[in-house]
Amino acid sequence: ANLLTIAILSQLSIPALAGCGRVETTVGKLKSINAETKTIVIDVGGKEESLKLTPMTKGTDKLTSLEGRKVKALSIHGKLIEIGK
């Protein structure tokens, strides 16, 4: 029973250590949208951060109206989950 408990606990802790599923928040100016590569670039205090759009990304319907404006983007492993003001 103790070995089973240890095995289960060790499996649960592996994703936490790897940072899997950790949502990153990026706040900055939406600098560019590249429809060809399906990426956006956000300027965060002079540093450019590129994020990949996916079919599951929320807020893409307003994306062109947000270009040049301050935005808040949520992403996991560089893949954009949601973008908005």
Side-chain angles (χ1 to χ4, degrees), residues 10-32:
S10 67
Q11 291 299 314
L12 292 175
S13 65
I14 289 171
L17 293 175
C20 294
R22 191 170 130 218
V23 176
E24 298 283 332
T25 302
T26 304
V27 178
K29 181 180 168 187
L30 180 57
K31 187 173 180 180
S32 65

Side-chain angles (χ1 to χ4, degrees), residues 30-35 38-42 51-54 57-69 71-73 80 82-85:
L30 180 57
K31 187 173 180 180
S32 65
I33 304 163
N34 187 326
K38 295 183 173 88
T39 57
I40 62 167
V41 176
I42 299 176
L51 298 171
K52 188 99 171 138
L53 295 166
T54 72
T57 302
K58 294 179 186 174
T60 55
D61 54 329
K62 301 174 197 156
L63 205 53
T64 54
S65 67
L66 294 174
E67 194 167 6
R69 299 175 138 199
V71 294
K72 179 179 178 182
L80 189 62
E82 185 174 357
I83 189 163
K85 288 196 265 184

